[in-house]
Amino acid sequence: MTLEVKELTGGYGQVAVLKKETFTVESGQVVGLIGLNGAGKSTTIKHIIGLLTPRGGQILIDGISLHDDVEKYRKKIAYVPEMPILYPELTLREHIDLTIMAYGLDHDKTWENANKLLKTFRLDNKLDWFPQNFSKGMKQKVMIVCAFMTDASLFIIDEPFTGLDPLAVNDLLNIVEAKKKAGCSVLMSTHILATVQNHADKFVLINQGQVRADGTLDELKKKFNMQADTNLDDIYIKMSHEDL
Amino acid sequence: MTDLWQKRLRRHQLNQFKYLRLIFNDNFVLAFIVLIGALGFWYSNLLGTIHHQLVLGKPIVILILFLAVQIGGIATLLEDPDSTFLLVKEKQFYRYFKAAKNYSVFIPIVTLALVNFLLSAFASRAAGLKIIDIVLIAIGLIVFKLGFLNVNFMALYGENHLGSLDLKLFSNILLVVSLIVSTYFFSATMIVVALVYYLFLNVRVKPLETSGRLRWEYAIATENQRMFRIKRFYNLFTDVPGVNSKIKRRKWLDGLFNFIKPKKRNTYLFLFARGFVRNNEYIGLFLRLTIIQAIMLCLIDSFYISLIVEMLFIYLVGFQLKPYFKEVMQNLMQRLYPISGKEKIASFTKLSTVILTIQWIISAFAILYKFGMSTNSLIIIIAGLAVLVFVNYFYMPRQLKKYLD
């Protein structure tokens, strides 16, 4: 799986939020998308999953764009949004069934995956609950289960760590690690830099709708002329001071 | 504080106008005008069949007037943040509520005048009341209602008791007794009782200005419920943001979904069917309209009116299902499914076909009950079927398309 974002320009309505973004996510890579509030992280993600249409540039997954083959493109992606989005009329069990139907997944095999994930997140005894009975963190976990039980090859997670308890954060990181080992790719946007620093292979730093820099931590240190013991926090703060 | 009231009132009225304009814009209103016409026709037919006083005449008049007095309370226009931000102003709220009460007299007065006016024809024929009696009772009821609003006012302060007696209960008993006395014996009773009641409550309200302790939670909850009722009413005609419908599990109906095989092309049918059955708003609407239709069809003698009722109600149920499709389409996750818009619409039409067919079968029974096996029955039933086909195969697909993106 390779995700290529080439010269992506776009945004909501007439305002161009993103200006010629270019970066790639390779097979088996975990990439952290990092930037200030309003830098364009979520907008970038919305373009990749196809909720927004680019005004310029290209987004390719394994060489195909959304335009080439909608179904094929969409089946490759699993997405966990920043705010959980659930159907108020469906139980947790039915959310899983619906996802299986929508993506045409193998029923038994997917349920096997789902059960493991449900157990990990301690949701296995809540299969008949409605979303209105779940707390925000539990809803977030439901979204994670529904995304990671699929056979997608690119997992896109928007701000996964906020709202989750520390145990769940740890569980999520394990799941991400397992997917990575299986050759899948993960793109996640976050502000929790300490966590992402230890678990991502590569970082894409976005500032004002543009890719300011990308690469591994060592490459970033060189690009920002920072010392060897600097961490992602220092780089991030240096970047945010640049436009002042 | 009265400034605050004025500001909120203006904003409230602007909002109301916005919704009213949306309602009166739609072809749905035409349908309702026809319906009101049909009811009016039915009422005048009913009056034509009454030639002498009925035993039940007076009790019916009493019941309707009693219910009419219950309509309308104080619109306080309180908002949730008030209990935090305006807590310090608690003492001044008396004047705010006073202004609110003065504004809130309008709807009850109009309602009572209108109900009395419409009821007068029935009251004079079936209950043997003279016009002067009806006018006296009507004025008495309006004065009584003005007093009754003070009970609502006092409830905001938790002072709606007379010793251990609940004032609302006391007022309603007093109202029923005076209605009975005025319709059966002496019609001026209502005015006299109402005046005494009104003056008594006005005296009781006064001390709240200095010594009242406002029940914030109750006051805000009451106002929120009132707003919700208004919005739910508007929501019948147009989309109102912030009206969340209740979801019930209804596990006993799960068997219905067994007909939907877990295949990819049934994804949306799976979703829509469950949503319809569990969302009180849509199933409630379907049941209400179907039952009203069946009852009307059982009662109405006129062929043409039955024909209109049959066609109109099937159209209405179909029309009212549209917002549900829109609601689901606004869910971001479903937009990512590898499923085309065409399939989404096809699934929804499948569901609406099932729903309207159930309604059509029930109404057909009502028609057969009223008109028997006759050409008239057949024409009405076929007309119903024609509307069903029109809604599902022509109207719906075109209308739903605009909600896809």
Side-chain angles (χ1 to χ4, degrees):
Chain A
M1 202 305 310
T2 324
L3 166 72
E4 294 168 88
V5 177
K6 294 181 192 163
E7 307 254 299
L8 171 64
T9 303
Y12 307 87
Q14 286 306 303
V15 193
V17 180
L18 309 180
K19 291 153 221 143
K20 301 205 167 185
E21 277 187 357
T22 301
F23 64 89
T24 55
V25 179
E26 309 282 345
S27 271
Q29 244 183 5
V30 176
V31 176
L33 198 58
I34 291 159
L36 298 171
N37 293 332
K41 300 186 299 291
S42 290
T43 314
T44 307
I45 287 176
K46 281 185 180 153
H47 276 96
I48 298 170
I49 61 179
L51 285 178
L52 293 173
T53 317
R55 262 192 285 147
Q58 254 191 330
I59 302 167
L60 301 174
I61 297 183
D62 291 336
I64 61 164
S65 73
L66 186 67
H67 194 68
D68 298 331
D69 189 339
V70 180
E71 288 209 7
K72 216 167 155 191
Y73 184 94
R74 292 224 155 122
K75 285 190 77 163
K76 286 178 190 288
I77 303 178
Y79 167 58
V80 180
E82 187 176 357
M83 295 294 284
I85 307 168
L86 295 161
Y87 299 98
E89 302 95 351
L90 296 188
T91 62
L92 170 52
R93 185 195 308 280
E94 287 162 349
H95 274 91
I96 294 172
D97 280 331
L98 185 78
T99 312
I100 291 175
M101 285 162 86
Y103 288 91
L105 303 167
D106 181 272
H107 182 270
D108 298 337
K109 209 185 101 207
T110 313
W111 260 108
E112 208 177 295
N113 292 339
N115 279 327
K116 271 185 230 154
L117 292 165
L118 289 167
K119 224 179 166 65
T120 309
F121 289 115
R122 294 167 303 284
L123 289 171
D124 49 335
N125 55 352
K126 300 182 177 63
L127 277 167
D128 287 311
W129 286 28
F130 277 129
Q132 62 193 16
N133 307 115
F134 287 128
S135 69
K136 199 227 160 202
M138 281 153 94
K139 287 182 190 168
Q140 184 81 9
K141 290 174 185 174
V142 174
M143 301 305 296
I144 292 171
V145 171
C146 285
F148 281 91
M149 68 180 197
T150 65
D151 54 11
S153 46
L154 171 63
F155 294 85
I156 298 179
I157 340 177
D158 202 353
E159 284 294 349
F161 304 120
T162 39
L164 288 181
D165 57 70
L167 196 55
V169 170
N170 192 44
D171 291 332
L172 175 62
L173 289 169
N174 289 339
I175 293 165
V176 166
E177 191 65 26
K179 282 287 174 193
K180 179 186 158 181
K181 280 211 180 94
C184 299
S185 320
V186 180
L187 176 67
M188 57 173 143
S189 82
T190 184
H191 289 294
I192 318 287
L193 300 178
T195 313
V196 81
Q197 181 178 335
N198 295 331
H199 292 88
D201 307 304
K202 195 182 131 177
F203 308 90
V204 177
L205 269 58
I206 295 187
N207 199 12
Q208 300 187 336
Q210 284 170 310
V211 177
R212 169 66 184 81
D214 67 335
T216 61
L217 191 56
D218 288 331
E219 288 168 353
L220 289 179
K221 280 177 200 162
K222 260 183 227 143
K223 280 184 193 166
F224 283 90
N225 297 320
M226 311 264 297
Q227 290 153 3
D229 62 342
T230 47
N231 57 25
L232 204 51
D233 264 311
D234 304 324
I235 298 173
Y236 184 85
I237 287 164
K238 180 155 189 198
M239 175 181 81
S240 30
H241 284 304
E242 278 176 353
D243 26 276
L244 292 177
Chain B
M1 271 333 247
T2 36
D3 281 351
L4 176 71
W5 166 257
Q6 289 298 338
K7 231 183 341 202
R8 288 204 175 160
L9 181 61
R10 244 193 319 275
R11 200 173 59 201
H12 175 67
Q13 283 171 335
L14 273 177
N15 258 322
Q16 303 297 306
F17 281 131
K18 196 178 77 193
Y19 287 126
L20 287 174
R21 209 181 53 225
L22 284 171
I23 290 175
F24 283 102
N25 232 342
D26 218 301
N27 51 356
F28 193 71
V29 167
L30 272 176
F32 254 82
I33 290 170
V34 172
L35 197 69
I36 288 168
L39 282 174
F41 189 72
W42 174 75
Y43 183 52
S44 73
N45 271 351
L46 183 81
L47 287 176
T49 60
I50 300 171
H51 299 297
H52 49 81
Q53 210 176 317
L54 301 174
V55 186
L56 278 176
K58 281 179 179 166
I60 290 176
V61 169
I62 291 172
L63 179 70
I64 293 177
L65 291 179
F66 173 75
L67 292 176
V69 173
Q70 310 300 318
I71 293 173
I74 299 184
T76 57
L77 305 184
L78 287 180
E79 291 165 19
D80 286 321
D82 290 353
S83 62
T84 313
F85 289 94
L86 298 178
L87 208 53
V88 286
K89 292 261 181 203
E90 179 164 335
K91 277 273 169 281
Q92 278 108 306
F93 257 97
Y94 181 85
R95 296 192 37 209
Y96 174 95
F97 289 135
K98 195 132 188 151
K101 198 188 76 180
N102 289 340
Y103 163 75
S104 305
V105 297
F106 179 70
I107 288 177
I109 290 179
V110 171
T111 315
L112 281 169
L114 200 66
V115 168
N116 273 289
F117 174 71
L118 291 174
L119 198 63
S120 59
F122 177 82
S124 63
R125 265 173 193 261
L129 292 171
K130 290 194 210 60
I131 293 301
I132 181 75
D133 295 330
I134 296 165
V135 172
L136 284 175
I137 292 174
I139 296 172
L141 285 176
I142 290 173
V143 176
F144 190 88
K145 180 69 193 181
L146 297 183
F148 203 65
L149 285 174
N150 281 322
V151 177
N152 293 339
F153 194 155
M154 288 154 83
L156 296 173
Y157 288 91
E159 296 287 340
N160 49 338
H161 297 282
L162 202 61
S164 61
L165 188 66
D166 183 57
L167 258 181
K168 200 171 175 191
L169 182 71
F170 167 75
S171 307
N172 277 328
I173 293 170
L174 183 68
L175 174 63
V176 173
V177 172
S178 18
L179 271 174
I180 292 172
V181 175
S182 5
T183 45
Y184 281 94
F185 307 107
F186 188 56
S187 52
T189 314
M190 194 67 237
I191 289 196
V192 177
V193 171
L195 274 173
V196 174
Y197 174 78
Y198 174 74
L199 292 173
F200 168 70
L201 281 173
N202 264 346
V203 173
R204 299 279 302 188
V205 162
K206 276 274 176 309
L208 294 178
E209 183 168 10
T210 47
S211 68
R213 287 275 289 111
L214 191 54
R215 284 162 73 200
W216 287 98
E217 296 244 316
Y218 167 82
I220 290 173
T222 313
E223 179 63 8
N224 282 344
Q225 277 164 21
R226 198 186 69 87
M227 276 298 178
F228 181 73
R229 281 196 300 271
I230 297 177
K231 283 183 176 169
R232 200 174 48 190
F233 174 72
Y234 289 150
N235 206 34
L236 284 175
F237 307 90
T238 173
D239 296 309
V240 182
V243 176
N244 300 337
S245 25
K246 281 220 168 68
I247 312 288
K248 276 239 172 77
R249 178 71 174 88
R250 299 189 224 286
K251 206 178 170 109
W252 54 282
L253 285 174
D254 275 5
L256 291 176
F257 309 132
N258 288 340
F259 296 103
I260 304 166
K261 296 271 166 293
K263 283 184 199 142
K264 188 172 176 213
R265 67 185 159 83
N266 281 341
T267 305
Y268 278 81
L269 195 57
F270 176 98
L271 174 62
F272 290 143
R274 281 169 172 76
F276 173 74
V277 168
R278 292 172 188 171
N279 192 319
N280 279 357
E281 184 165 344
Y282 300 103
I283 188 127
L285 193 103
F286 163 72
L287 289 176
R288 273 199 301 277
L289 286 177
T290 306
I291 291 168
I292 292 172
Q293 180 191 30
I295 292 173
M296 284 176 84
L297 288 172
C298 285
L299 293 176
I300 295 169
D301 296 306
S302 160
F303 165 73
Y304 290 105
I305 295 178
S306 290
L307 183 70
I308 292 172
V309 168
E310 167 77 356
M311 294 172 72
L312 182 68
F313 274 75
I314 291 182
Y315 168 73
L316 284 184
V317 171
F319 178 88
Q320 296 288 0
L321 284 176
K322 278 192 316 184
Y324 179 52
F325 186 76
K326 187 179 170 194
E327 201 180 305
V328 174
M329 287 309 116
Q330 280 163 350
N331 183 315
L332 220 66
M333 292 311 283
Q334 63 84 23
R335 284 171 61 185
L336 303 178
Y337 295 162
I339 291 173
S340 69
K342 229 164 111 187
E343 274 182 87
K344 295 177 192 176
I345 290 175
S347 291
F348 196 78
T349 355
K350 223 182 244 175
L351 175 76
S352 74
T353 306
V354 172
I355 293 168
L356 295 190
T357 306
I358 295 171
Q359 186 194 6
W360 176 68
I361 291 170
I362 292 172
S363 67
F365 277 115
I367 293 159
L368 288 172
Y369 164 79
K370 187 71 200 176
F371 292 98
M373 289 289 185
S374 62
T375 328
N376 280 357
S377 294
L378 195 67
I379 294 174
I380 298 175
I381 291 171
I382 289 179
L385 184 64
V387 175
L388 189 156
V389 171
F390 167 77
V391 168
N392 284 320
Y393 296 95
F394 296 95
Y395 179 74
M396 215 55 121
R398 281 177 182 74
Q399 291 283 314
L400 297 186
K401 228 179 229 158
K402 61 180 180 202
Y403 296 135
L404 278 179
D405 291 310

